[in-house]
Amino acid sequence: MISIPITIHLGAFAILTLLLSTVQSTILIPKPNGPYNTRITNAKLVDQTRLDPFAPNRTQRAIMVTVFYPIKTPSECDPLHTMDYMPLATAQFWDSEFADYGVNNATLENFGISACRPNATIGPTYDGNDQPIVIFSPGMTVSRQLYSAMAQMVASHGYIVITIDHPYDAYIVEFPDGTLVHAANITTTAQTDLDLATRAQDVTFLLDQLSANDTVRGVIPGISCALNVSQVAMFGHSLGGATTAAAMLHDRRIAGGLNMDGTFYGPVVKLGLDRPFLLFNHVNSTRLTYGNWAETWSHLRGWKLELTLAGSQHATFSDIPLAIELLGYSPFDSTSALASVLGTLDGGRALDVVAAYVVAFVDFVLKGVESEILERPSPLYPEMTIVS
């Protein structure tokens, strides 16, 4: 049995759900700061060519995705529509998981996220090449929904952002027909390696599906043509960061990757990558002290950068600090239990800073736009340190 160091500690979710237990009305995630409003859709994709290695009955591999995409026509988003931040059964699962912490009903269910109306169209002349694509992979055991604010923020800057749930890795994956898939007991090194390989295959499968007309019509209503996936960017948190590197190693359509505070696993540690890669770590943690970052860094042959965010901890790179801030529990005292997992940055500021650097990186990878914040310290983001 091994302990997975990259998993967000359960205490963070316990604290979050405990704080949410007193909320009785919808709390909205703040509107993103980019120039575009966004529409949000969810879809199930089934890989007809692959059996799920973790499914008890060896069924075909299926994943859930959320697509955040920018809407060009303002009238399509007037007024904005409020969607559930997390589907009901998933929220109820988290409630029951932390019942021992005194969590009551109606907690995560009370969060909403604003988006364009359900039938909003992406644009009258969309041809599949208008917006570049960014893929996101979450931390081990963690739902993709707990990164929705970040994904929407990036999408508001003109990107189609797609977040993935990896079934049997996430604690719970909820499918449109109500089917719930719970996490397998992934504890050994061999199981973790298989999990990582399966995650990377999920990414390649998703890119293949996005290049098919019929799939795109189902995933993004209003678009009748395949998307251009010849050059996409990817980022991930924790094991999602390792997934980003693993997927890049085998799929050259991923032109650049960003690892948010995750240990690397698998062949990429020694084989490295030849495309842009950014390492984003929490305070007091650099490649010299963090897992196998130093070894992996030495084999990164393309453009590379390492950043450290002051006041951050592992869960800072998710929506959890923002949710707690919306309840008035931020910023956190450096000696508190919350700060040990969420950091001392208030949630809104953490989201703004992390998203700004994600956008700057994908701008560089997909548009060739060089940003000063990736080249030198910025007075706009004094919390950020460029390590090298």
Side-chain angles (χ1 to χ4, degrees), residues 339-369:
S340 68
V341 287
L342 303 180
T344 55
L345 277 177
D346 69 86
R349 179 60 180 173
L351 174 63
D352 287 346
V353 175
V354 173
Y357 281 81
V358 172
V359 170
F361 177 71
V362 298
D363 279 350
F364 168 66
V365 170
L366 299 180
K367 299 179 180 179
V369 176

PDB file of all heavy atoms in Angstrom, residues 339-369:
ATOM      1  N   ALA A 339      -5.696  26.910   6.439  1.00  0.00           N
ATOM      2  CA  ALA A 339      -4.529  27.399   5.699  1.00  0.00           C
ATOM      3  C   ALA A 339      -3.580  26.272   5.324  1.00  0.00           C
ATOM      4  O   ALA A 339      -2.888  26.350   4.308  1.00  0.00           O
ATOM      5  CB  ALA A 339      -3.798  28.455   6.523  1.00  0.00           C
ATOM      6  N   SER A 340      -3.540  25.208   6.120  1.00  0.00           N
ATOM      7  CA  SER A 340      -2.604  24.117   5.840  1.00  0.00           C
ATOM      8  C   SER A 340      -2.936  23.367   4.557  1.00  0.00           C
ATOM      9  O   SER A 340      -2.064  22.730   3.978  1.00  0.00           O
ATOM     10  CB  SER A 340      -2.571  23.141   7.023  1.00  0.00           C
ATOM     11  OG  SER A 340      -3.811  22.461   7.135  1.00  0.00           O
ATOM     12  N   VAL A 341      -4.194  23.448   4.114  1.00  0.00           N
ATOM     13  CA  VAL A 341      -4.567  22.774   2.873  1.00  0.00           C
ATOM     14  C   VAL A 341      -5.002  23.742   1.780  1.00  0.00           C
ATOM     15  O   VAL A 341      -4.931  23.410   0.602  1.00  0.00           O
ATOM     16  CB  VAL A 341      -5.692  21.743   3.107  1.00  0.00           C
ATOM     17  CG1 VAL A 341      -5.164  20.527   3.820  1.00  0.00           C
ATOM     18  CG2 VAL A 341      -6.853  22.359   3.870  1.00  0.00           C
ATOM     19  N   LEU A 342      -5.454  24.938   2.167  1.00  0.00           N
ATOM     20  CA  LEU A 342      -5.960  25.897   1.188  1.00  0.00           C
ATOM     21  C   LEU A 342      -5.049  27.085   0.979  1.00  0.00           C
ATOM     22  O   LEU A 342      -5.237  27.847   0.030  1.00  0.00           O
ATOM     23  CB  LEU A 342      -7.348  26.405   1.613  1.00  0.00           C
ATOM     24  CG  LEU A 342      -8.424  25.344   1.818  1.00  0.00           C
ATOM     25  CD1 LEU A 342      -9.730  26.011   2.227  1.00  0.00           C
ATOM     26  CD2 LEU A 342      -8.622  24.514   0.573  1.00  0.00           C
ATOM     27  N   GLY A 343      -4.057  27.280   1.848  1.00  0.00           N
ATOM     28  CA  GLY A 343      -3.193  28.441   1.741  1.00  0.00           C
ATOM     29  C   GLY A 343      -3.806  29.653   2.421  1.00  0.00           C
ATOM     30  O   GLY A 343      -4.886  29.593   3.006  1.00  0.00           O
ATOM     31  N   THR A 344      -3.103  30.768   2.348  1.00  0.00           N
ATOM     32  CA  THR A 344      -3.550  31.993   3.008  1.00  0.00           C
ATOM     33  C   THR A 344      -4.102  33.032   2.037  1.00  0.00           C
ATOM     34  O   THR A 344      -4.593  34.074   2.458  1.00  0.00           O
ATOM     35  CB  THR A 344      -2.388  32.622   3.802  1.00  0.00           C
ATOM     36  OG1 THR A 344      -1.271  32.815   2.925  1.00  0.00           O
ATOM     37  CG2 THR A 344      -1.964  31.728   4.956  1.00  0.00           C
ATOM     38  N   LEU A 345      -4.007  32.781   0.731  1.00  0.00           N
ATOM     39  CA  LEU A 345      -4.629  33.670  -0.250  1.00  0.00           C
ATOM     40  C   LEU A 345      -6.143  33.531  -0.175  1.00  0.00           C
ATOM     41  O   LEU A 345      -6.658  32.426  -0.016  1.00  0.00           O
ATOM     42  CB  LEU A 345      -4.188  33.298  -1.666  1.00  0.00           C
ATOM     43  CG  LEU A 345      -2.860  33.832  -2.185  1.00  0.00           C
ATOM     44  CD1 LEU A 345      -2.613  33.265  -3.582  1.00  0.00           C
ATOM     45  CD2 LEU A 345      -2.863  35.345  -2.235  1.00  0.00           C
ATOM     46  N   ASP A 346      -6.863  34.648  -0.302  1.00  0.00           N
ATOM     47  CA  ASP A 346      -8.308  34.493  -0.397  1.00  0.00           C
ATOM     48  C   ASP A 346      -8.639  33.857  -1.740  1.00  0.00           C
ATOM     49  O   ASP A 346      -7.889  33.962  -2.716  1.00  0.00           O
ATOM     50  CB  ASP A 346      -9.027  35.825  -0.204  1.00  0.00           C
ATOM     51  CG  ASP A 346      -8.811  36.790  -1.345  1.00  0.00           C
ATOM     52  OD1 ASP A 346      -9.555  36.718  -2.344  1.00  0.00           O
ATOM     53  OD2 ASP A 346      -7.897  37.613  -1.241  1.00  0.00           O
ATOM     54  N   GLY A 347      -9.784  33.183  -1.783  1.00  0.00           N
ATOM     55  CA  GLY A 347     -10.103  32.349  -2.929  1.00  0.00           C
ATOM     56  C   GLY A 347     -10.232  33.091  -4.236  1.00  0.00           C
ATOM     57  O   GLY A 347      -9.781  32.609  -5.277  1.00  0.00           O
ATOM     58  N   GLY A 348     -10.859  34.270  -4.214  1.00  0.00           N
ATOM     59  CA  GLY A 348     -11.024  35.033  -5.447  1.00  0.00           C
ATOM     60  C   GLY A 348      -9.700  35.474  -6.025  1.00  0.00           C
ATOM     61  O   GLY A 348      -9.483  35.400  -7.241  1.00  0.00           O
ATOM     62  N   ARG A 349      -8.810  35.921  -5.150  1.00  0.00           N
ATOM     63  CA  ARG A 349      -7.494  36.345  -5.618  1.00  0.00           C
ATOM     64  C   ARG A 349      -6.701  35.161  -6.162  1.00  0.00           C
ATOM     65  O   ARG A 349      -6.045  35.263  -7.202  1.00  0.00           O
ATOM     66  CB  ARG A 349      -6.722  37.019  -4.481  1.00  0.00           C
ATOM     67  CG  ARG A 349      -5.322  37.484  -4.853  1.00  0.00           C
ATOM     68  CD  ARG A 349      -5.350  38.492  -5.991  1.00  0.00           C
ATOM     69  NE  ARG A 349      -4.005  38.939  -6.354  1.00  0.00           N
ATOM     70  CZ  ARG A 349      -3.732  39.713  -7.393  1.00  0.00           C
ATOM     71  NH1 ARG A 349      -4.715  40.126  -8.198  1.00  0.00           N
ATOM     72  NH2 ARG A 349      -2.492  40.079  -7.670  1.00  0.00           N
ATOM     73  N   ALA A 350      -6.765  34.046  -5.473  1.00  0.00           N
ATOM     74  CA  ALA A 350      -6.055  32.857  -5.950  1.00  0.00           C
ATOM     75  C   ALA A 350      -6.525  32.468  -7.346  1.00  0.00           C
ATOM     76  O   ALA A 350      -5.717  32.173  -8.233  1.00  0.00           O
ATOM     77  CB  ALA A 350      -6.258  31.700  -4.976  1.00  0.00           C
ATOM     78  N   LEU A 351      -7.838  32.487  -7.555  1.00  0.00           N
ATOM     79  CA  LEU A 351      -8.383  32.146  -8.870  1.00  0.00           C
ATOM     80  C   LEU A 351      -7.898  33.122  -9.927  1.00  0.00           C
ATOM     81  O   LEU A 351      -7.478  32.713 -11.022  1.00  0.00           O
ATOM     82  CB  LEU A 351      -9.906  32.146  -8.824  1.00  0.00           C
ATOM     83  CG  LEU A 351     -10.630  31.945 -10.160  1.00  0.00           C
ATOM     84  CD1 LEU A 351     -10.307  30.580 -10.747  1.00  0.00           C
ATOM     85  CD2 LEU A 351     -12.128  32.119  -9.988  1.00  0.00           C
ATOM     86  N   ASP A 352      -7.937  34.409  -9.631  1.00  0.00           N
ATOM     87  CA  ASP A 352      -7.510  35.420 -10.599  1.00  0.00           C
ATOM     88  C   ASP A 352      -6.049  35.225 -11.003  1.00  0.00           C
ATOM     89  O   ASP A 352      -5.699  35.305 -12.185  1.00  0.00           O
ATOM     90  CB  ASP A 352      -7.697  36.825 -10.023  1.00  0.00           C
ATOM     91  CG  ASP A 352      -9.158  37.249  -9.970  1.00  0.00           C
ATOM     92  OD1 ASP A 352      -9.987  36.579 -10.607  1.00  0.00           O
ATOM     93  OD2 ASP A 352      -9.458  38.239  -9.283  1.00  0.00           O
ATOM     94  N   VAL A 353      -5.194  34.984 -10.016  1.00  0.00           N
ATOM     95  CA  VAL A 353      -3.756  34.869 -10.293  1.00  0.00           C
ATOM     96  C   VAL A 353      -3.470  33.599 -11.084  1.00  0.00           C
ATOM     97  O   VAL A 353      -2.781  33.636 -12.118  1.00  0.00           O
ATOM     98  CB  VAL A 353      -2.945  34.886  -8.984  1.00  0.00           C
ATOM     99  CG1 VAL A 353      -1.459  34.638  -9.280  1.00  0.00           C
ATOM    100  CG2 VAL A 353      -3.117  36.217  -8.256  1.00  0.00           C
ATOM    101  N   VAL A 354      -3.980  32.465 -10.619  1.00  0.00           N
ATOM    102  CA  VAL A 354      -3.714  31.199 -11.308  1.00  0.00           C
ATOM    103  C   VAL A 354      -4.248  31.251 -12.737  1.00  0.00           C
ATOM    104  O   VAL A 354      -3.558  30.879 -13.696  1.00  0.00           O
ATOM    105  CB  VAL A 354      -4.325  30.017 -10.534  1.00  0.00           C
ATOM    106  CG1 VAL A 354      -4.202  28.726 -11.346  1.00  0.00           C
ATOM    107  CG2 VAL A 354      -3.636  29.846  -9.182  1.00  0.00           C
ATOM    108  N   ALA A 355      -5.481  31.741 -12.905  1.00  0.00           N
ATOM    109  CA  ALA A 355      -6.071  31.796 -14.235  1.00  0.00           C
ATOM    110  C   ALA A 355      -5.302  32.725 -15.161  1.00  0.00           C
ATOM    111  O   ALA A 355      -5.163  32.451 -16.359  1.00  0.00           O
ATOM    112  CB  ALA A 355      -7.536  32.237 -14.140  1.00  0.00           C
ATOM    113  N   ALA A 356      -4.788  33.830 -14.627  1.00  0.00           N
ATOM    114  CA  ALA A 356      -4.022  34.765 -15.457  1.00  0.00           C
ATOM    115  C   ALA A 356      -2.796  34.088 -16.056  1.00  0.00           C
ATOM    116  O   ALA A 356      -2.468  34.305 -17.238  1.00  0.00           O
ATOM    117  CB  ALA A 356      -3.605  35.982 -14.625  1.00  0.00           C
ATOM    118  N   TYR A 357      -2.124  33.265 -15.268  1.00  0.00           N
ATOM    119  CA  TYR A 357      -0.924  32.595 -15.770  1.00  0.00           C
ATOM    120  C   TYR A 357      -1.274  31.420 -16.679  1.00  0.00           C
ATOM    121  O   TYR A 357      -0.530  31.124 -17.625  1.00  0.00           O
ATOM    122  CB  TYR A 357      -0.034  32.179 -14.602  1.00  0.00           C
ATOM    123  CG  TYR A 357       0.761  33.354 -14.072  1.00  0.00           C
ATOM    124  CD1 TYR A 357       0.186  34.265 -13.205  1.00  0.00           C
ATOM    125  CD2 TYR A 357       2.067  33.594 -14.489  1.00  0.00           C
ATOM    126  CE1 TYR A 357       0.884  35.372 -12.743  1.00  0.00           C
ATOM    127  CE2 TYR A 357       2.788  34.692 -14.034  1.00  0.00           C
ATOM    128  CZ  TYR A 357       2.186  35.574 -13.162  1.00  0.00           C
ATOM    129  OH  TYR A 357       2.887  36.689 -12.717  1.00  0.00           O
ATOM    130  N   VAL A 358      -2.395  30.757 -16.424  1.00  0.00           N
ATOM    131  CA  VAL A 358      -2.837  29.716 -17.352  1.00  0.00           C
ATOM    132  C   VAL A 358      -3.160  30.330 -18.705  1.00  0.00           C
ATOM    133  O   VAL A 358      -2.740  29.832 -19.755  1.00  0.00           O
ATOM    134  CB  VAL A 358      -4.064  28.967 -16.794  1.00  0.00           C
ATOM    135  CG1 VAL A 358      -4.639  28.014 -17.857  1.00  0.00           C
ATOM    136  CG2 VAL A 358      -3.702  28.186 -15.536  1.00  0.00           C
ATOM    137  N   VAL A 359      -3.889  31.449 -18.697  1.00  0.00           N
ATOM    138  CA  VAL A 359      -4.233  32.118 -19.954  1.00  0.00           C
ATOM    139  C   VAL A 359      -2.982  32.601 -20.671  1.00  0.00           C
ATOM    140  O   VAL A 359      -2.853  32.434 -21.903  1.00  0.00           O
ATOM    141  CB  VAL A 359      -5.205  33.295 -19.695  1.00  0.00           C
ATOM    142  CG1 VAL A 359      -5.374  34.149 -20.955  1.00  0.00           C
ATOM    143  CG2 VAL A 359      -6.556  32.775 -19.227  1.00  0.00           C
ATOM    144  N   ALA A 360      -2.041  33.187 -19.940  1.00  0.00           N
ATOM    145  CA  ALA A 360      -0.800  33.654 -20.572  1.00  0.00           C
ATOM    146  C   ALA A 360      -0.051  32.496 -21.212  1.00  0.00           C
ATOM    147  O   ALA A 360       0.507  32.631 -22.319  1.00  0.00           O
ATOM    148  CB  ALA A 360       0.081  34.352 -19.533  1.00  0.00           C
ATOM    149  N   PHE A 361      -0.045  31.338 -20.534  1.00  0.00           N
ATOM    150  CA  PHE A 361       0.665  30.178 -21.079  1.00  0.00           C
ATOM    151  C   PHE A 361      -0.021  29.648 -22.332  1.00  0.00           C
ATOM    152  O   PHE A 361       0.643  29.387 -23.347  1.00  0.00           O
ATOM    153  CB  PHE A 361       0.759  29.081 -20.021  1.00  0.00           C
ATOM    154  CG  PHE A 361       1.407  27.816 -20.517  1.00  0.00           C
ATOM    155  CD1 PHE A 361       2.768  27.778 -20.783  1.00  0.00           C
ATOM    156  CD2 PHE A 361       0.657  26.671 -20.744  1.00  0.00           C
ATOM    157  CE1 PHE A 361       3.374  26.614 -21.253  1.00  0.00           C
ATOM    158  CE2 PHE A 361       1.239  25.506 -21.208  1.00  0.00           C
ATOM    159  CZ  PHE A 361       2.608  25.483 -21.466  1.00  0.00           C
ATOM    160  N   VAL A 362      -1.335  29.482 -22.303  1.00  0.00           N
ATOM    161  CA  VAL A 362      -2.005  28.943 -23.494  1.00  0.00           C
ATOM    162  C   VAL A 362      -1.999  29.968 -24.628  1.00  0.00           C
ATOM    163  O   VAL A 362      -1.978  29.584 -25.808  1.00  0.00           O
ATOM    164  CB  VAL A 362      -3.428  28.448 -23.174  1.00  0.00           C
ATOM    165  CG1 VAL A 362      -3.371  27.307 -22.163  1.00  0.00           C
ATOM    166  CG2 VAL A 362      -4.326  29.556 -22.663  1.00  0.00           C
ATOM    167  N   ASP A 363      -2.000  31.257 -24.305  1.00  0.00           N
ATOM    168  CA  ASP A 363      -1.808  32.278 -25.343  1.00  0.00           C
ATOM    169  C   ASP A 363      -0.478  32.069 -26.056  1.00  0.00           C
ATOM    170  O   ASP A 363      -0.380  32.169 -27.285  1.00  0.00           O
ATOM    171  CB  ASP A 363      -1.827  33.681 -24.730  1.00  0.00           C
ATOM    172  CG  ASP A 363      -3.224  34.224 -24.475  1.00  0.00           C
ATOM    173  OD1 ASP A 363      -4.199  33.614 -24.943  1.00  0.00           O
ATOM    174  OD2 ASP A 363      -3.339  35.269 -23.801  1.00  0.00           O
ATOM    175  N   PHE A 364       0.545  31.782 -25.278  1.00  0.00           N
ATOM    176  CA  PHE A 364       1.879  31.569 -25.835  1.00  0.00           C
ATOM    177  C   PHE A 364       1.924  30.291 -26.678  1.00  0.00           C
ATOM    178  O   PHE A 364       2.447  30.281 -27.807  1.00  0.00           O
ATOM    179  CB  PHE A 364       2.902  31.486 -24.698  1.00  0.00           C
ATOM    180  CG  PHE A 364       4.258  31.001 -25.107  1.00  0.00           C
ATOM    181  CD1 PHE A 364       5.056  31.745 -25.964  1.00  0.00           C
ATOM    182  CD2 PHE A 364       4.739  29.790 -24.637  1.00  0.00           C
ATOM    183  CE1 PHE A 364       6.314  31.289 -26.353  1.00  0.00           C
ATOM    184  CE2 PHE A 364       5.991  29.319 -25.016  1.00  0.00           C
ATOM    185  CZ  PHE A 364       6.776  30.076 -25.877  1.00  0.00           C
ATOM    186  N   VAL A 365       1.352  29.221 -26.159  1.00  0.00           N
ATOM    187  CA  VAL A 365       1.423  27.925 -26.835  1.00  0.00           C
ATOM    188  C   VAL A 365       0.593  27.909 -28.111  1.00  0.00           C
ATOM    189  O   VAL A 365       1.036  27.418 -29.160  1.00  0.00           O
ATOM    190  CB  VAL A 365       0.977  26.800 -25.884  1.00  0.00           C
ATOM    191  CG1 VAL A 365       0.811  25.476 -26.639  1.00  0.00           C
ATOM    192  CG2 VAL A 365       1.972  26.635 -24.749  1.00  0.00           C
ATOM    193  N   LEU A 366      -0.619  28.440 -28.042  1.00  0.00           N
ATOM    194  CA  LEU A 366      -1.567  28.292 -29.152  1.00  0.00           C
ATOM    195  C   LEU A 366      -1.649  29.494 -30.073  1.00  0.00           C
ATOM    196  O   LEU A 366      -2.088  29.363 -31.222  1.00  0.00           O
ATOM    197  CB  LEU A 366      -2.961  27.980 -28.595  1.00  0.00           C
ATOM    198  CG  LEU A 366      -3.066  26.686 -27.785  1.00  0.00           C
ATOM    199  CD1 LEU A 366      -4.486  26.491 -27.280  1.00  0.00           C
ATOM    200  CD2 LEU A 366      -2.604  25.473 -28.604  1.00  0.00           C
ATOM    201  N   LYS A 367      -1.236  30.657 -29.595  1.00  0.00           N
ATOM    202  CA  LYS A 367      -1.338  31.859 -30.422  1.00  0.00           C
ATOM    203  C   LYS A 367       0.008  32.525 -30.681  1.00  0.00           C
ATOM    204  O   LYS A 367       0.087  33.475 -31.456  1.00  0.00           O
ATOM    205  CB  LYS A 367      -2.269  32.877 -29.751  1.00  0.00           C
ATOM    206  CG  LYS A 367      -3.690  32.373 -29.563  1.00  0.00           C
ATOM    207  CD  LYS A 367      -4.555  33.430 -28.863  1.00  0.00           C
ATOM    208  CE  LYS A 367      -5.985  32.953 -28.654  1.00  0.00           C
ATOM    209  NZ  LYS A 367      -6.807  33.975 -27.953  1.00  0.00           N
ATOM    210  N   GLY A 368       1.047  32.038 -30.007  1.00  0.00           N
ATOM    211  CA  GLY A 368       2.362  32.646 -30.179  1.00  0.00           C
ATOM    212  C   GLY A 368       2.494  34.006 -29.538  1.00  0.00           C
ATOM    213  O   GLY A 368       3.416  34.771 -29.863  1.00  0.00           O
ATOM    214  N   VAL A 369       1.601  34.326 -28.594  1.00  0.00           N
ATOM    215  CA  VAL A 369       1.627  35.627 -27.924  1.00  0.00           C
ATOM    216  C   VAL A 369       2.536  35.532 -26.705  1.00  0.00           C
ATOM    217  O   VAL A 369       2.310  34.715 -25.808  1.00  0.00           O
ATOM    218  CB  VAL A 369       0.210  36.049 -27.495  1.00  0.00           C
ATOM    219  CG1 VAL A 369       0.264  37.354 -26.711  1.00  0.00           C
ATOM    220  CG2 VAL A 369      -0.689  36.186 -28.711  1.00  0.00           C
TER     221      VAL A 369
END
